[in-house]
């Protein structure tokens, strides 16, 4: 495989990042060695070394003396809503091996004003709410999130109101039942202080820094299919792929 654009090391970093985020490369897996990277991507050993240094600097890899450079994500990687949607559409799975979610709420509730505006819910109206805490393979909570859906889905996709994981994720379940396919996501994030609810879900102290995100999954017509909010502990990298 050759690289046509420059700088070459960023192209290789991007390829490896995509494999890490998708779970193709899991925590603890050995990355290709400098010699292997140089041969596979037809780059110099100095450039291949820069690939390793970049991934380590971004908290996605670690090296131990006398050992291979390995993937390191349990304490550093935050998979975004966009990552989950891409995984659902491409593999039929929301979570990578070892990760799992505990559904903590599934009901019809009055949504926050910003959610109501996006879903077109009138004042005092209800929407389907699903709340979850996602854990890694070490059983550590890595994010807490709440997703909202139009109330009509309560009848057409009854699994949304059951406090059990939906195999393949909510986007796949909605598409199967209604034909509406989430094809893109819009996401915004900010730094915030952990509330009591955040602290309880993530095992952090009230007031500690957290990363707060709001996301919208939209269909081909640009209409919202799912609206959500998630929170993750500070110190986790969000990987953007372009």
């Amino acid at each position: 495989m050759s690289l046509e654009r420059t700088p070459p090391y960023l192209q290789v970093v991007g390829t490896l990042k995509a494999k890490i985020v998708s779970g193709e490369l899991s925590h603890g897996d050995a990355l290709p060695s400098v010699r292997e990277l140089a041969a596979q991507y037809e780059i110099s050993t100095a450039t291949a070394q820069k690939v390793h240094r970049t991934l380590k600097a971004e908290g996605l890899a670690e090296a131990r003396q006398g050992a291979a450079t390995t993937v390191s994500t349990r304490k550093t990687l935050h998979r975004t809503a966009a990552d989950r949607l891409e995984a659902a559409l491409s593999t039929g799975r929301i979570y990578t091996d070892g990760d799992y979610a505990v559904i903590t709420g599934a009901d019809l509730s009055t949504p926050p004003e910003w959610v109501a505006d996006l879903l077109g819910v009138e004042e005092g109206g209800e929407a389907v709410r699903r709340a979850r805490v996602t854990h890694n393979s070490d059983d550590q909570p890595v994010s807490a999130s709440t997703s909202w859906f139009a109330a009509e889905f309560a009848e057409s996709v009854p699994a949304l109101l059951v406090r059990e994981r939906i195999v393949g994720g909510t986007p796949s379940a909605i598409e199967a039942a209604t034909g509406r396919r989430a094809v893109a996501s819009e996401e915004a994030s900010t730094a915030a202080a952990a509330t009591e609810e955040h602290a309880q879900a993530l095992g952090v102290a009230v007031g500690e820094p957290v990363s707060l995100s709001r996301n919208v999954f939209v269909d081909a017509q640009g209409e919202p299919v799912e609206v959500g909010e998630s929170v993750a502990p500070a110190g986790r990298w969000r990987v953007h792929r372009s």
Side-chain angles (χ1 to χ4, degrees):
M1 177 179 179
S2 61
L3 300 173
E4 298 178 355
R5 294 188 296 172
T6 55
Y9 87 94
L10 285 180
Q11 295 295 314
V12 181
V13 167
T15 297
L16 294 176
K17 279 183 179 180
K19 292 182 178 182
I20 291 170
V21 172
S22 70
E24 184 178 342
L25 285 172
S26 301
H27 179 85
D29 286 351
L31 288 170
S33 68
V34 168
R35 288 185 178 181
E36 290 169 338
L37 287 176
Q40 182 178 359
Y41 294 99
E42 300 178 18
I43 56 179
S44 68
T45 55
T47 299
Q49 288 171 341
K50 195 170 184 179
V51 171
H52 278 195
R53 288 199 301 269
T54 301
L55 290 172
K56 286 185 283 188
E58 295 188 7
L60 297 175
E62 61 182 2
R64 296 178 181 174
Q65 189 171 4
T69 298
T70 59
V71 175
S72 178
T73 59
R74 287 179 182 167
K75 296 182 179 180
T76 59
L77 181 64
H78 172 48
R79 291 183 172 87
T80 67
D83 297 327
R84 297 198 308 273
L85 177 60
E86 182 176 320
L89 296 179
S90 62
T91 70
R93 299 175 56 195
I94 286 285
Y95 301 102
T96 59
D97 290 340
D99 290 358
Y100 65 95
V102 176
I103 308 302
T104 57
D107 52 37
L108 280 166
S109 301
T110 301
E113 184 177 355
W114 71 273
V115 172
D117 288 343
L118 288 169
L119 292 179
V121 177
E122 296 183 359
E123 185 177 357
E126 293 183 322
V128 176
R129 179 187 72 97
R130 282 181 67 81
R132 67 190 70 78
V133 178
T134 300
H135 301 254
N136 63 19
S137 56
D138 288 334
D139 295 326
Q140 297 173 326
V142 295
S143 68
S145 59
T146 302
S147 297
W148 295 89
F149 312 85
E152 63 196 56
F153 286 161
E155 182 174 347
S156 57
V157 196
L160 294 175
L161 292 175
V162 179
R163 288 180 59 170
E164 295 180 2
R165 286 181 55 188
I166 297 176
V167 177
T170 54
S172 298
I174 290 171
E175 182 182 4
T178 69
R180 291 188 62 189
R181 179 179 175 85
V183 298
S185 63
E186 302 170 0
E187 188 163 1
S189 61
T190 186
T195 65
E196 289 188 10
E197 183 179 1
H198 298 156
Q200 182 176 3
L202 299 175
V204 299
V206 174
E208 276 193 26
V210 292
S211 175
L212 187 64
S213 301
R214 290 179 176 178
N215 65 274
V216 185
F217 292 170
V218 298
D219 60 21
Q221 288 70 46
E223 294 298 321
V225 176
E226 176 179 337
V227 177
E229 186 170 72
S230 66
V231 61
R236 289 185 170 268
W237 288 87
R238 301 162 61 88
V239 177
H240 173 71
R241 289 154 293 152
S242 59

